[in-house]
Amino acid sequence: MTEPDADLVYRVLDGDAEAFRGLVDRYRDRAIASAYRMLGDAEMAQDVAQEAFVESYRRLHKLRETHKYRQWLFGILHNRCLKQLRGRRFPFVSWEESDADSWYQPADGSPEAGDRLAPVVRRLRPEHRAMLAARYL
């Protein structure tokens, strides 16, 4: 049986570093995937996910609701991704100027649908991309 997040958090706060490894192992892949969806760069996604884990470790004593570690971690990750995106320059493309109609297909659940959508989503402003990632990805 998997140990609840709250128990792992309490163990970390009591000085058990291996308990934090359990939290990292539990959420690493999802954190990297989430960061990748927002950033569109695999190496950068790994870096930002690692930074989010380090920040969560350093600020763990501030977490009031220990059973909500996952939500708290992904909030930190989301903010780190936004910070990273704000540092980059993206050309603004209006809907009218885009080739949006050429990629739209009814949702069929195929991986190709995501492949068609990814380049268009990457051209959105960071705050719009984050909104789409948080809602749909």
Side-chain angles (χ1 to χ4, degrees):
M1 183 163 185
T2 305
E3 189 172 4
D5 287 354
D7 292 348
L8 289 171
V9 168
Y10 286 128
R11 286 179 43 207
V12 173
L13 292 172
D14 286 338
D16 183 355
E18 281 303 308
F20 190 71
R21 179 177 298 282
L23 290 168
V24 171
D25 289 345
R26 184 174 295 172
Y27 295 116
R28 178 189 316 114
D29 292 342
R30 282 187 263 178
I32 292 170
S34 180
Y36 178 75
R37 285 192 297 267
M38 285 185 68
L39 301 171
D41 181 293
E43 188 174 318
M44 191 181 305
Q46 290 177 353
D47 290 346
V48 170
Q50 181 177 349
E51 291 170 5
F53 280 110
V54 169
E55 184 176 340
S56 76
Y57 182 79
R58 288 182 180 153
R59 295 179 39 207
L60 198 57
H61 65 281
K62 295 182 179 184
L63 179 60
R64 299 285 179 234
E65 299 178 76
T66 56
H67 64 283
K68 292 187 177 182
Y69 175 78
R70 182 180 63 83
Q71 293 91 329
W72 186 66
L73 170 67
F74 279 84
I76 292 170
L77 179 71
H78 176 82
N79 289 335
R80 288 222 167 241
C81 286
L82 285 178
K83 184 177 179 180
Q84 185 69 34
L85 288 169
R86 284 186 193 116
R88 290 200 257 166
R89 295 282 182 235
F90 294 93
F92 175 73
V93 178
S94 72
W95 189 262
E96 292 78 23
E97 295 171 358
S98 74
D99 55 353
D101 293 334
S102 67
W103 58 261
Y104 176 76
Q105 298 290 329
D108 57 5
S110 69
E112 294 82 23
D115 292 341
R116 290 189 306 267
L117 184 59
V120 177
V121 171
R122 282 192 202 104
R123 291 174 28 196
L124 295 173
R125 290 183 178 175
E127 59 272 14
H128 297 148
R129 185 188 310 181
M131 184 174 56
L132 283 173
R135 174 67 176 100
Y136 296 105
L137 302 176

